[in-house]
Amino acid sequence: MAEAILHALSKIGSVGLNNEVSAVRKKLSKKVASLYELPVKIEEFGVQLKAMNNVMRDFGTTHLTNNVIKGWIADVRKLAYHVEDVIDRYSYEALKLKEDGFLRWYDIRSSRHITVFSIILEDVIQIEEEIRCVIETRKLILEDVIQIEEEIRCVIEMRNYGSITVQSSENEDADIGRKKPEGSFPELVSDEDLVGIDENRSKLTEWLTTNEEETTLITVSGMGGLGKTSLVKTVYDREKDNFPDAHAWIVVSEIYNVVDLLAKLLTKIQRQSPPSVDVALGHHADVYELTEAIQKTLQDRKCLIVLDDVWEREAYTRMCNAFQGLQGSRVMITTRREDVAALAPRGRRLLLQPLGSVESFKLFCSIAFHNNSPACKCPPELEKVAAAVVRGCHGLPLAIVYSGRVLSAKEQTEHTWNQIYNHLWSELQGNDHVQAILNRSYNDLPGYLRNCFLYCTLLPQGQPMPRESLVRLWIAEGFTRKREDCTAEEVAEECLMELIDRNMLQVVERDEHFRVSTCKMHDIVRDLALAVAKEQRFGSANDQGELMLLDTDQVRWFSTCGWSDSNNTAPGGVKFTRLRTLVSIGSCSNMLSSVFSESIYLTVLELEDSPINQVPASIGNLFHLRYIGLRRTQVRSLPDTIDKLSNLETLDLKHTRIEKLPSGIVKAEKLRHLFADRYADEKQTEFRYSVGVEAPKMISRFQQLQTLETVHASKDVALQLKHMHGLQTVCIDSIDASSCDDLFRALSCMPQLSSLLLSASDEEEALSFKAFEPTSTSLRTLIVRGGWFMAGLSCPIFQELGRYLKYLALSWCDLEEKDPLPVLACHVPALTYLSLNRVSSEGILVLSAGCFPLLKTLVLKRMPDVKQLVIEEGAMPLVDGIYITTLLGMNAVPDGIDTLGSLTKLWMLDLHREFKADWTQKQMDDKMKHVSDLRV
């Protein structure tokens, strides 16, 4: 839908700002006169596409099942792609002329130049005709939509009329489960079907029956199909009699009217009102009148209200005045949006997760074999196919129930069930109850989020997706752009959080700053995304040897993650002439040569972990490249033609074998992120286990650079860094004492510096921090490898800015303190992560009461002097993980470690040979049962 239009519009905006393209057009127009009109025509394309986007937004999700509308949207998508193709080709050919020296010599003797731009103009004429056809179709469709909406309006008016009338005869709970097909889970699952909900049901019941006097809001959230409504309905049915004065169930849904909702609420509670309550309203009551009427009806009464399927915070905030402040009342909300769930206090939010394998199988058996016996056991001959069916449902109760119902009606033989299983998953995806509930979540996404969501299908299935990688890829694709108040990276992170809030992506891990570190897409949501991605001209080749590919000349995004050419006929000889993105993580494919020669509009090239050892010089022809990912490949050098990539934004060479960058790389002045360190010792036992690259001269030409990781220190680098005020993450190694002051003065001038790694040239080199006085108050991460001059902790970085630091990792240094922990606790009180590696100390380390109040992770490694660790009561109250490794002198269990109730991860490895005996003698396994990840 709108995602293709928005992408094309971004291209239209960028080509208009390209001065080089404009210069070529002006000169070339003397030979191809029609090119004068091209900017105006392209601008008109933008106007028409915006109009079509507005029409689709007006459709909302109500009409998206209409085949005529779906066909029209497909035509618009095709049109948007055609516009993008023309703009990309125009930009490509114009820039190619510039590279050929056309602007200097104005040599157009080659007929190819005229031919190419004449073809572009023919495409423009064709697009104009396509726009006319789409507009005509739109007019016809709108007439139908107007008629449909008029019918809907009449129905709503009649419904509103009935809901405001106090004498309505509807059953009070008739609205429970009466939703669109996509929300009909309650009809599929009865109370006896529910499995694995006892804990959640008990929790909700406890929250409803507490002695809290004020109105309490409770939210139940999670992705569509997890059974939020069914869970809350069972609790509501059991507990509503405890609220005899007033109880009501209101279905809100995606499309709602606040007046209608309040009128329904009034009608339901009035049925339960004592005869003395007399409230009468006309059919045209407004929000204020209805709110007053509800408040009067509920005065001095204890009520239970459920707002089911809430999609927007505003739906609650505009209603809540009607029932807030009631003594002992409870309001429960079900939602798939985390921003809505956040309306409730933290202790009253329930986030549902997919069922585990045992619970999933139990639920399936309760449905499929309910006629067999009270135990609902699976016959041995059906266990294998039943397990396969359950795995395909990915813990989603809705899918499990549907599958069980289908199979329960069939002959229960292995042959019959295997036949059905071969078709069941495609049938399940096509079932209204399942597919619609997922489609609804997708259709509710704004246009700018849809491409971000679909893009996740290009990354390896089952592997966590790093936040930073997603952000950089989305920016390179043009899915997110900077705003006046935000960088493109900040906008992209907002998109990621919104997808997580909508439960379209799930958080796997958070970092020490509590930011999302990695996330994943639930398997069943991924199935939905793949189905939609196919329509959007995505293609993929996976590690099962399966090839999902449309016409190759139409594919725009292609993934070969996990693909091996030996699996099947590889797409090596296939030409991807319209390809914008190739994601080939950990793959071995012979298609690369074809991509470099044929895919001239390529924007993203991600080859992480791929077995390649060189990059061809032809990469310089890919003018549109914004992202190159070569992380953990065997590449030893980059070709000099890299200097032609004027649009390059991200260059990821991390852990390759590259030691020096081409001098011409500085011509890529749009570069935002440069990763260029490599492992010299992957076991990380040597001082210089990670080594940077030699920085190119004039690196300060990278005025847009935000990430510089990692370069060797030198006088020239220090001089260049003074002029790079946009840097946020900086990693520098090979620092010697003579260059410290110049380097630290340069770093001090960076107003946005947030993360810094400093590594000395060798373990004997001492670094002085006296000249380091950062102007940035955003510095949160500091990693230092190397010795320090005396009084390092008295320098400004710790005395004045230490209170801002969140992440501190020190290696191979001597703090000249007998016990570094209490000293550090004074200077860096806000730390959430602390790592000490080969830091000198005395034999006993003490974590005193109150120290490190925010610390989440503590790491102690290779500190040979340490024999004992004492943790006083009240120290590190929030610590989640402690990792103590290779402390060969530690022979006793840390005192007080069993008092850390927040601890979930504890590693104590490679310690003194007597340590394990002391652990056993003190029965620490029993004392540390609350630690889920325990390694001793």
Side-chain angles (χ1 to χ4, degrees):
M1 282 186 13
E3 54 272 28
I5 292 181
L6 294 175
H7 206 209
L9 288 173
S10 69
K11 292 288 182 72
I12 290 174
S14 62
V15 75
L17 298 174
N18 195 315
N19 295 329
E20 293 172 338
V21 172
S22 298
V24 171
R25 178 185 57 79
K26 288 177 181 178
K27 284 202 169 187
L28 196 60
S29 295
K30 296 178 182 179
K31 294 290 183 179
V32 186
S34 300
L35 279 177
Y36 275 119
E37 304 173 9
L38 192 56
V40 177
K41 290 182 180 294
I42 289 178
E43 188 174 342
E44 177 61 24
F45 293 165
V47 171
Q48 294 295 343
L49 287 174
K50 286 179 183 177
M52 295 171 192
N53 185 45
N54 290 334
V55 171
M56 286 191 287
R57 288 174 61 186
D58 289 341
F59 284 156
T61 60
T62 307
H63 306 291
L64 293 181
T65 56
N66 184 300
N67 288 329
V68 175
I69 293 178
K70 289 171 67 176
W72 182 77
I73 290 173
D75 290 340
V76 174
R77 183 185 300 118
K78 183 178 179 182
L79 170 64
Y81 285 156
H82 196 174
V83 171
E84 184 186 357
D85 288 343
V86 168
I87 291 174
D88 282 349
R89 187 170 187 186
Y90 171 51
S91 301
Y92 174 83
E93 296 294 346
L95 289 172
K96 189 166 178 59
L97 283 179
K98 172 184 174 291
E99 294 293 328
D100 292 343
F102 170 65
L103 285 178
R104 283 180 296 169
W105 305 111
Y106 189 33
D107 180 6
I108 196 164
R109 288 171 292 181
S110 170
S111 61
R112 178 190 175 278
H113 297 143
I114 296 177
T115 301
V116 166
F117 284 95
S118 296
I119 292 173
I120 291 174
L121 289 171
E122 290 175 4
D123 271 340
V124 168
I125 294 171
Q126 184 180 347
I127 288 174
E128 290 177 322
E129 179 60 30
E130 291 174 4
I131 288 176
R132 280 192 289 271
C133 292
V134 169
I135 290 174
E136 288 300 317
T137 307
R138 180 183 67 191
K139 291 178 181 177
L140 296 174
I141 290 174
L142 286 176
E143 292 176 3
D144 290 340
V145 169
I146 291 172
Q147 182 178 350
I148 293 171
E149 290 186 338
E150 177 62 24
E151 294 172 358
I152 292 174
R153 186 185 64 79
C154 292
V155 171
I156 290 175
E157 284 189 355
M158 293 181 67
R159 184 180 64 188
N160 286 345
Y161 178 86
S163 64
I164 295 178
T165 303
V166 176
Q167 288 80 18
S168 171
S169 60
E170 289 184 301
N171 181 283
E172 67 175 13
D173 292 329
D175 280 329
I176 299 180
R178 184 194 293 164
K179 298 195 281 183
K180 301 174 185 178
E182 55 264 45
S184 57
F185 185 48
E187 298 171 9
L188 280 175
V189 184
S190 59
D191 292 356
E192 57 268 22
D193 289 336
L194 294 168
V195 171
I197 70 164
D198 291 343
E199 182 180 349
N200 289 332
R201 183 164 50 198
S202 298
K203 187 176 294 185
L204 289 179
T205 302
E206 178 187 347
W207 292 347
L208 289 179
T209 56
T210 58
N211 295 323
E212 295 171 341
E213 294 186 358
E214 295 298 320
T215 299
T216 301
L217 177 62
I218 299 166
T219 58
V220 179
S221 61
M223 61 178 286
L226 282 177
K228 300 180 293 294
T229 297
S230 294
L231 169 64
V232 172
K233 182 179 182 296
T234 62
V235 176
Y236 176 83
D237 287 342
R238 292 184 180 196
E239 299 299 323
K240 65 183 179 182
D241 290 341
N242 294 325
F243 296 82
D245 294 341
H247 51 264
W249 182 292
I250 306 294
V251 178
V252 179
S253 200
E254 183 181 6
I255 301 174
Y256 65 92
N257 180 286
V258 174
V259 171
D260 185 24
L261 296 175
L262 289 172
K264 284 183 179 180
L265 177 59
L266 178 60
T267 299
K268 292 184 177 186
I269 61 176
Q270 280 186 337
R271 295 196 197 102
Q272 305 153 25
S273 301
S276 59
V277 176
D278 182 18
V279 177
L281 291 175
H283 301 318
H284 301 289
D286 59 20
V287 171
Y288 176 76
E289 292 170 327
L290 288 164
T291 298
E292 276 201 328
I294 293 170
Q295 288 175 338
K296 183 177 179 180
T297 306
L298 292 177
Q299 189 173 7
D300 299 325
R301 301 168 70 190
K302 178 182 175 182
C303 68
L304 171 61
I305 298 171
V306 174
L307 302 178
D308 185 30
D309 197 23
V310 178
W311 285 72
E312 296 179 0
R313 292 170 65 96
E314 188 180 12
Y316 171 75
T317 57
R318 292 187 64 192
M319 294 181 66
C320 64
N321 287 336
F323 43 74
Q324 275 189 339
L326 301 175
Q327 187 171 2
S329 293
R330 303 290 182 262
V331 179
M332 289 198 293
I333 287 176
T334 69
T335 180
R336 65 184 73 187
R337 296 282 300 270
E338 289 308 303
D339 59 332
V340 176
L343 287 166
R346 286 193 177 276
R348 292 297 183 266
R349 302 178 202 168
L350 180 60
L351 174 62
L352 296 190
Q353 301 289 352
L355 297 178
S357 57
V358 175
E359 292 177 335
S360 295
F361 195 79
K362 184 178 179 182
L363 174 57
F364 174 81
C365 291
S366 71
I367 304 296
F369 307 113
H370 66 280
N371 291 326
N372 288 15
S373 67
C376 298
K377 289 186 177 180
C378 177
E381 67 272 15
L382 296 179
E383 285 183 355
K384 185 176 180 180
V385 64
V389 171
V390 171
R391 282 195 301 271
C393 294
H394 308 298
L396 193 66
L398 186 61
I400 296 169
V401 170
Y402 173 73
S403 302
R405 292 263 169 96
V406 169
L407 288 167
S408 67
K410 306 298 180 183
E411 182 184 6
Q412 293 187 352
T413 65
E414 185 176 5
H415 174 73
T416 301
W417 273 40
N418 274 316
Q419 280 187 321
I420 297 170
Y421 170 66
N422 291 332
H423 304 283
L424 182 60
W425 189 240
S426 60
E427 182 182 348
L428 180 63
Q429 287 182 309
N431 180 268
D432 287 344
H433 297 300
V434 176
Q435 191 64 32
I437 203 169
L438 297 174
N439 284 338
R440 183 175 174 190
S441 295
Y442 173 74
N443 290 330
D444 182 59
L445 294 177
Y448 62 87
L449 281 183
R450 289 182 186 153
N451 272 329
C452 295
F453 170 69
L454 296 179
Y455 202 83
C456 296
T457 63
L458 296 177
L459 302 178
Q461 183 175 5
Q463 294 184 22
M465 298 178 285
R467 179 196 82 249
E468 293 181 339
S469 295
L470 275 179
V471 163
R472 289 190 291 268
L473 285 166
W474 288 346
I475 293 171
E477 295 286 356
F479 297 160
T480 62
R481 294 183 176 276
K482 67 177 181 179
R483 299 194 303 258
E484 288 185 5
D485 57 335
C486 294
T487 65
E489 285 76 11
E490 290 170 335
V491 174
E493 291 208 17
E494 287 178 6
C495 291
L496 177 63
M497 293 312 301
E498 188 168 354
L499 286 172
I500 290 171
D501 287 344
R502 290 169 176 266
N503 285 295
M504 303 300 279
L505 295 178
Q506 298 173 319
V507 177
V508 174
E509 191 174 13
R510 294 183 182 271
D511 63 16
E512 290 72 21
H513 307 304
F514 205 65
R515 295 176 307 182
V516 173
S517 176
T518 56
C519 58
K520 68 177 182 178
M521 181 180 285
H522 190 273
D523 287 348
I524 202 164
V525 176
R526 183 182 174 87
D527 290 336
L528 160 73
L530 285 169
V532 178
K534 188 174 181 180
E535 296 178 4
Q536 303 291 334
R537 298 294 187 267
F538 281 72
S540 68
N542 61 31
D543 56 1
Q544 279 78 43
E546 298 168 342
L547 183 65
M548 189 195 87
L549 192 61
L550 305 170
D551 295 336
T552 55
D553 63 344
Q554 297 296 324
V555 171
R556 311 180 81 80
W557 297 273
F558 192 73
S559 170
T560 65
C561 295
W563 176 268
S564 173
D565 291 345
S566 61
N567 285 342
N568 208 328
T569 303
V574 177
K575 295 181 179 180
F576 294 88
T577 56
R578 287 180 169 78
L579 191 66
R580 266 57 179 189
T581 297
L582 174 63
V583 178
S584 186
I585 298 177
S587 300
C588 176
S589 177
N590 60 16
M591 68 178 292
L592 289 180
S593 59
S594 173
V595 168
F596 281 115
S597 60
E598 301 292 341
S599 305
I600 59 175
Y601 308 127
L602 199 68
T603 302
V604 169
L605 179 65
E606 176 58 272
L607 302 176
E608 180 179 317
D609 287 317
S610 298
I612 63 170
N613 51 34
Q614 64 178 355
V615 177
S618 58
I619 195 173
N621 295 327
L622 304 178
F623 294 138
H624 292 283
L625 260 185
R626 294 179 184 168
Y627 183 106
I628 300 176
L630 299 172
R631 182 172 296 206
R632 290 189 295 274
T633 63
Q634 301 301 308
V635 173
R636 294 180 175 273
S637 64
L638 293 177
D640 291 336
T641 53
I642 202 83
D643 65 356
K644 295 182 179 181
L645 302 180
S646 56
N647 290 306
L648 191 62
E649 295 176 350
T650 295
L651 180 59
D652 189 349
L653 310 174
K654 198 175 183 70
H655 300 161
T656 63
R657 301 193 175 190
I658 295 174
E659 298 181 8
K660 184 177 181 181
L661 298 175
S663 58
I665 187 68
V666 294
K667 293 182 181 180
E669 295 182 2
K670 294 181 182 178
L671 197 66
R672 302 164 70 86
H673 305 282
L674 174 61
F675 303 90
D677 59 326
R678 68 187 191 280
Y679 273 140
D681 169 32
E682 293 193 16
K683 295 183 179 179
Q684 301 185 19
T685 57
E686 300 298 326
F687 177 78
R688 296 195 67 195
Y689 66 82
S690 181
V691 182
V693 298
E694 182 180 333
K697 294 188 180 300
M698 298 303 295
I699 193 175
S700 62
R701 290 180 65 174
F702 293 142
Q703 283 298 298
Q704 297 185 40
L705 199 66
Q706 297 178 18
T707 305
L708 178 60
E709 181 184 324
T710 305
V711 295
H712 296 329
S714 68
K715 290 187 177 296
D716 182 65
V717 166
L719 181 64
Q720 296 291 314
L721 288 176
K722 285 183 179 180
H723 307 290
M724 301 175 70
H725 294 164
L727 281 169
Q728 298 176 15
T729 298
V730 180
C731 300
I732 301 176
D733 74 347
S734 303
I735 306 172
D736 55 39
S738 62
S739 63
C740 268
D741 287 355
D742 289 340
L743 179 62
F744 285 160
R745 288 192 189 100
L747 293 171
S748 299
C749 297
M750 297 177 182
Q752 301 179 56
L753 187 64
S754 62
S755 181
L756 179 63
L757 181 149
L758 303 166
S759 180
S761 56
D762 59 57
E763 57 194 276
E764 302 298 329
E765 197 72 49
L767 306 179
S768 171
F769 289 85
K770 290 183 179 180
F772 191 25
E773 301 183 50
T775 58
S776 172
T777 57
S778 301
L779 186 60
R780 298 291 182 268
T781 298
L782 178 62
I783 302 171
V784 181
R785 293 204 297 263
W788 296 21
F789 277 128
M790 292 179 61
L793 290 174
S794 65
C795 294
I797 176 58
F798 292 106
Q799 290 291 323
E800 298 174 17
L801 293 173
R803 65 185 183 277
Y804 297 120
L805 285 177
K806 297 289 186 181
Y807 184 111
L808 179 63
L810 306 177
S811 302
W812 302 79
C813 69
D814 182 355
L815 298 179
E816 297 195 347
E817 302 289 346
K818 293 182 179 180
D819 183 352
L821 292 178
V823 179
L824 285 171
C826 294
H827 292 300
V828 284
L831 283 188
T832 58
Y833 180 98
L834 174 62
S835 173
L836 302 179
N837 177 24
R838 297 185 187 271
V839 175
S840 60
S841 71
E842 63 179 10
I844 300 177
L845 300 181
V846 178
L847 287 157
S848 57
C851 74
F852 299 119
L854 303 178
L855 198 69
K856 292 282 190 178
T857 304
L858 174 65
V859 180
L860 302 175
K861 295 192 298 185
R862 298 185 180 91
M863 299 173 66
D865 298 329
V866 176
K867 295 180 175 58
Q868 187 177 355
L869 175 66
V870 177
I871 304 172
E872 296 182 355
E873 186 176 355
M876 305 186 299
L878 301 180
V879 71
D880 175 70
I882 295 179
Y883 305 88
I884 301 176
T885 61
T886 324
L887 267 61
L888 300 181
M890 181 174 280
N891 57 12
V893 174
D895 290 346
I897 198 165
D898 54 324
T899 65
L900 300 176
S902 60
L903 197 64
T904 63
K905 295 180 283 290
L906 176 61
W907 293 12
M908 306 198 73
L909 306 174
D910 298 327
L911 307 181
H912 192 278
R913 62 179 179 274
E914 296 177 2
F915 177 86
K916 190 61 184 277
D918 188 58
W919 178 276
T920 303
Q921 182 182 353
K922 294 177 179 177
Q923 299 179 335
M924 293 305 297
D925 284 335
D926 292 334
K927 296 178 181 180
M928 305 304 290
K929 284 184 177 180
H930 62 285
V931 178
S932 57
D933 185 0
L934 180 62
R935 308 185 192 185
V936 180

